[in-house]
Amino acid sequence: MVARFVRGNAPALLAATSSLLLSLAATASRHLVNSDGVWYLLAAEAFVAGGLPAARAAHPWPIYGVLIGLIARATGLPAQAAADGLNAVFVATASAFFVEAVRQLGADRRVQWYAAALVLAHRGLNVFRDAIVRDFGGWAFGLVGLVALLRFMRSASPGSAAAWLAAGLIAVAFRPEWALVWTAMALAPLFDTSASPGRRLRRFAMLALPAAAVSVALAGLLLSSPAGAASVWAMAADVTDLGVDAFRGSAQALAASFPFTHGREYAPYLLLFGLAPLPIVKVVLAAGVPVAVLALAGVSSLRERPRPAQAALALSLGAWYVVSYLFALERMFLETRYAVPASLVLALAAPFGVSRLVAASRAPRRRYLLVLCTAWVIATAALALAERRNPDPHVGAAIEWLRQGTPPNARVHTNSPQVAYYCRRAVDWAAVRHAILHGPDPPLGGPYDYWTVLVPANDVSARGRLAEVQGLAHVASFPGTGGSGVEVYQPGGGMINRSTPRP
């Protein structure tokens, strides 16, 4: 039975096994975890030390951190190693179910092997392999749920509907925006033009009614406690205020850049429509340009698939576009990892594009197309694997200086989560959060012995503010590239002494 399972699922198993090896190699060469990863490690360590309340105090959405903490506690591994192992399993799961989703779309064995190769070359997965982010869980269970939905659209089995609902709940546990995507995907049965209206409604009810009941139950459970309700409303208010303030400020800055006053009232509309293509660009970049081109070539093959499957894919892509656009409006930028789920859905068409390319290259004059495309995909994957979110060496040098050149009981204030986590000195994490949000200004209250400021590249305003700071002595400097750097100060003294020797 095991041998039969392996033979029947060989492409998916190869994708999962190879993905595990790639993830382990990526994390083995990493020096520091990404800034976001620091907060999840803090939540995991807080959970191990103080349970769920401590984890919630460290991160407002602590489920990912709690899961890391549970693994760390069960295995005795450090939180960072537990997170790396968990993420490697998540990406391997996503890789396997990507191949399975292609099979559910009617791919034969040969096209499934193409899918295994392409998911291993997927730029977004490879770029983030060494990161610690909660998105991995959403990517994995998002594809698990998509496979369950494709099966349900074909058979209408209650088991597939239950699997779709369970996968959706787990994905939402990692990132709440999956709720919008799952709501959109529940509409897929209504677009099955091959079925009667009654059959469409029954299948829609099999997905929507349990999902609605569970959603209401969870919302009621969360809002039933004063602490839970306060947390939900506080998070909603923070997100809304941040989005409104960011959009208003950006629109005003755009209007101020116009050479004439006439037309400045159109700045908000230019911003609204100007951000509209950003999610599409990010999806292409996340998938990798060659994979996106192959997906475009394979779209015609997907048009031959059953209408319900097409509807499921289209609704998923549409929902992710809305989510990504709202992120862009809120923050005036869009992280590439937010586009990875949509890029994986888009890439489902790529194996069919490869099949068309292979068929076309059988003509003697067109064989070069397959060679060039293969080389392009391999080069893109290699560059993505070589790309790291590790900070420049100057951040590591500053951390090493703090660990070797300051007393063990020193108190450090910084605007860098990586410096705060790895320097192993006393840190006020609330003050670190404030510094990240409000820029490199002197600490507000609280005793500290060293103020360590991470200055981003080409941030002229930050450099200007630092030059005006008084009451601090400049004790060390670690220059990076493009004007970036880490500056270290101590309380006392007059104007900052720029002539202080650099270590």
Side-chain angles (χ1 to χ4, degrees), residues 361-385:
S361 66
R362 288 171 183 163
R365 295 183 179 180
R366 295 182 179 179
R367 286 177 182 169
Y368 70 93
L369 291 175
L370 182 61
V371 175
L372 289 177
C373 187
T374 302
W376 193 14
V377 170
I378 292 174
T380 302
L383 289 173
L385 286 168

Side-chain angles (χ1 to χ4, degrees), residues 153 187-196 199-200 203 307-308 311:
M153 299 297 285
L187 301 174
L190 298 178
F191 292 86
D192 184 4
T193 54
S194 63
S196 64
R199 187 181 181 186
R200 293 187 217 175
R203 291 192 171 187
R307 183 77 174 180

Side-chain angles (χ1 to χ4, degrees), residues 387-413:
E387 186 177 338
R388 289 289 179 267
R389 276 139 315 286
N390 283 330
D392 290 334
H394 63 276
V395 178
I399 292 170
E400 188 63 22
W401 186 88
L402 288 168
R403 296 184 69 167
Q404 300 295 329
T406 64
N409 61 346
R411 297 159 298 185
V412 173
H413 174 67

Side-chain angles (χ1 to χ4, degrees), residues 49-272:
L52 184 58
R56 292 186 64 180
H59 195 283
W61 199 263
I63 296 173
Y64 177 54
V66 168
L67 190 55
I68 295 171
L70 287 172
I71 295 173
R73 189 161 61 185
T75 61
L77 291 171
Q80 185 171 315
D84 289 338
L86 177 65
N87 294 338
V89 171
F90 280 152
V91 181
T93 301
S95 301
F97 276 87
F98 177 90
V99 178
E100 180 61 25
V102 171
R103 179 160 72 171
Q104 292 299 318
L105 291 171
D108 58 24
R109 185 78 161 190
R110 178 172 52 89
V111 175
Q112 292 174 44
W113 284 115
Y114 298 155
L118 287 173
V119 76
L120 293 173
H122 188 278
R123 181 178 180 275
L125 294 183
N126 288 325
V127 164
F128 291 101
R129 283 188 187 276
D130 67 338
I132 295 179
V133 288
R134 55 181 170 155
D135 305 65
F136 288 126
W139 301 347
F141 286 96
L143 283 169
V144 171
L146 180 59
V147 168
L149 180 61
L150 291 173
R151 289 176 176 171
F152 174 80
M153 299 297 285
R154 190 178 65 250
S155 64
S157 71
S160 295
W164 171 81
L165 177 59
L169 289 174
I170 298 172
V172 171
F174 286 98
R175 292 204 68 97
E177 57 268 18
W178 277 98
L180 177 60
V181 178
W182 242 249
T183 301
M185 291 171 69
L187 301 174
L190 298 178
F191 292 86
D192 184 4
T193 54
S194 63
S196 64
R199 187 181 181 186
R200 293 187 217 175
L201 288 174
R202 284 194 299 271
R203 291 192 171 187
F204 170 69
M206 288 179 67
L207 296 179
L209 292 181
V214 171
S215 299
V216 170
L218 290 177
L221 181 64
L222 184 60
L223 296 176
S224 61
S225 68
S231 176
V232 169
W233 298 126
M235 288 178 61
D238 287 344
V239 170
T240 303
D241 292 343
L242 178 63
V244 171
D245 291 344
F247 183 81
R248 184 184 295 116
S250 299
Q252 291 171 350
L254 179 62
S257 68
F258 289 5
F260 305 105
T261 57
H262 302 293
R264 289 184 177 179
E265 67 271 20
Y266 300 117
Y269 305 104
L270 292 175
L271 198 59
L272 278 171

Side-chain angles (χ1 to χ4, degrees), residues 418-431:
Q418 292 161 318
V419 171
Y421 185 76
Y422 284 102
C423 75
R424 299 306 182 191
R425 296 294 184 264
V427 172
D428 183 346
W429 284 101

